[in-house]
Amino acid sequence: MNFTSVKDLTNINAWLKKALEIKANPFGFQEFGINKTLGLIFLNPSLRTRLSTQKAAMNLGMNVMVMNLGTEGWSIEMTDGTVMDQGSQEHIKEAAGVISQYCDIIGIRTFAELKNREEDYSEKVLTKFIQSAKVPVVSLESATLHPLQSFADLITLEEQKKVTHPKVVLSWAPHPRALPQAVANSFVEWMKQADVELVITNPEGFDLAPEFTDGVTVLHNQDEALAGADFVYAKNWSSYENYGQTAPNLTDWTISKPKMDLTNNGKFMHCLPVRRNVVVTDEVIDSENSLVLEQANNRTFAAQTVLLKMLQNVG
């Protein structure tokens, strides 16, 4: 099996139950990981993804190898049939094939370039890597999705909810840089399968791709969306419609205490890293209702659940 989105799960509730079981007993499944090796391949920077996935593997008794491919390895050619007489020194077929000989599971983190929507949404890098790998592959984030983050978010919501069917609001927030839609896309994908009332709020021109928002309430009035929310998940994403464009000057979308006062004593969530006093004010993120550290902690158990499922499948 590979793990690239919530669609790879046969039963989201069973995976959630397993994650909570693992969190209660992190070292209870080491017989599956002993003498196995996880390779973590990064094409862009990481803090939580790298450390939490490495810790998850160690909890399972696995060996871990980490490589920042963009700076520590050869430049990789992704296109078939290319005459490699220019910059790329190694083809993905050999690179992924070789890594597969060293590792029992491979994690790879890629990133959207935000230049060509069709190319980003084709998931060219992740797809070519999976096609060339000989072992299971787990997405550590791709151009359009971040499933490990969303799984951790689901765990956090399950632990923190006070009602059976909470109102969860995904709110766009300003940011000085253009960011991908990956976290937002993925969060929506997972929440559509969870027992929540999901509302998305963003400015005009920043609607997510229709394949994700289909069937979900989307409001362009943030205050209306936040009313009565039990959870507020803040995240910036650049425009899908006007691909890669952003709007850092929409500072009235920053999550502040007056905004949170509209909620039902709502909990604040963010995937981190976060730009303080841009995305969210200090007063909100430092409050007792902030769950950002709980989310980050649950990244370990989301990854550990995925790795365990893969180890059980590959023996």
Side-chain angles (χ1 to χ4, degrees):
M1 64 170 288
N2 297 311
F3 179 80
T4 62
S5 79
V6 72
K7 296 174 183 176
D8 293 315
L9 279 61
T10 53
N11 185 318
I12 193 173
N13 291 322
W15 279 61
L16 177 58
K17 182 179 178 180
K18 177 57 71 174
L20 295 171
E21 180 186 348
I22 288 171
K23 185 173 182 178
N25 184 21
F27 307 111
F29 303 88
Q30 292 191 344
E31 69 270 21
F32 294 100
I34 222 68
N35 296 327
K36 301 290 186 179
T37 299
L38 172 67
L40 299 178
I41 309 299
F42 291 91
L43 295 173
N44 59 291
S46 173
L47 189 157
R48 277 148 297 277
T49 298
R50 175 169 177 166
L51 296 181
S52 64
T53 309
Q54 188 166 353
K55 181 175 175 62
M58 293 165 63
N59 284 352
L60 290 169
M62 299 183 76
N63 302 308
V64 184
M65 297 191 294
V66 182
M67 188 171 189
N68 297 301
L69 200 57
T71 57
E72 296 174 345
W74 302 112
S75 176
I76 303 297
E77 176 60 53
M78 295 290 174
T79 305
D80 292 337
T82 299
V83 177
M84 293 174 56
D85 59 357
Q86 297 297 319
S88 300
Q89 294 97 342
E90 185 158 20
H91 199 278
I92 185 61
K93 289 183 178 180
E94 287 78 56
V98 166
I99 297 168
S100 298
Q101 294 177 319
Y102 305 149
C103 304
D104 299 282
I105 297 173
I106 302 171
I108 181 166
R109 180 179 173 102
T110 66
F111 210 61
E113 292 188 355
L114 295 178
K115 297 176 182 177
N116 183 308
R117 186 173 75 185
E118 287 68 33
E119 186 165 311
D120 282 345
Y121 272 73
S122 73
E123 292 287 7
K124 179 179 178 180
V125 176
L126 179 62
T127 300
K128 293 296 290 186
F129 202 95
I130 289 173
Q131 289 173 348
S132 301
K134 312 300 181 186
V135 297
V137 173
V138 52
S139 171
L140 307 176
E141 186 176 11
S142 67
T144 67
L145 294 172
H146 197 345
L148 284 178
Q149 178 64 55
S150 301
F151 192 7
D153 297 335
L154 178 67
I155 297 168
T156 307
L157 283 164
E158 179 65 21
E159 292 177 321
Q160 299 289 333
K161 68 182 184 182
K162 300 289 193 259
V163 296
T164 303
H165 189 71
K167 180 179 179 180
V168 178
V169 177
L170 172 65
S171 177
W172 185 93
H175 196 283
R177 293 177 55 235
L179 298 180
Q181 299 100 37
V183 170
N185 286 345
S186 198
F187 184 74
V188 171
E189 218 179 33
W190 286 69
M191 289 301 104
K192 285 169 75 171
Q193 293 201 29
D195 187 13
V196 303
E197 176 193 353
L198 177 63
V199 176
I200 304 170
T201 184
N202 53 260
E204 297 276 358
F206 286 87
D207 288 357
L208 296 169
E211 65 191 270
F212 297 104
T213 59
D214 182 43
V216 180
T217 299
V218 180
L219 299 176
H220 297 134
N221 183 315
Q222 189 187 39
D223 289 355
E224 179 185 354
L226 292 175
D230 298 294
F231 296 90
V232 177
Y233 197 121
K235 185 70 183 81
N236 174 266
W237 59 87
S238 58
S239 176
Y240 174 82
E241 180 181 352
N242 302 301
Y243 197 64
Q245 293 185 19
T246 189
N249 296 325
L250 295 181
T251 55
D252 55 327
W253 282 78
T254 298
I255 302 297
S256 61
K257 187 177 185 302
K259 297 283 187 181
M260 293 300 292
D261 286 343
L262 300 171
T263 71
N264 181 28
N265 193 31
K267 303 288 188 179
F268 174 78
M269 301 178 70
H270 190 279
C271 61
L272 300 181
V274 67
R275 301 275 186 139
R276 283 173 171 256
N277 301 307
V278 177
V279 172
V280 58
T281 62
D282 287 338
E283 190 174 16
V284 172
I285 197 171
D286 290 333
S287 74
E288 63 181 12
N289 278 17
S290 175
L291 299 179
V292 296
L293 295 183
E294 287 83 350
Q295 289 172 264
N297 185 46
N298 282 331
R299 289 294 306 275
T300 296
F301 309 109
Q304 196 168 337
T305 304
V306 173
L307 293 175
L308 178 60
K309 293 283 189 179
M310 288 181 164
L311 289 168
Q312 289 173 329
N313 274 3
V314 301

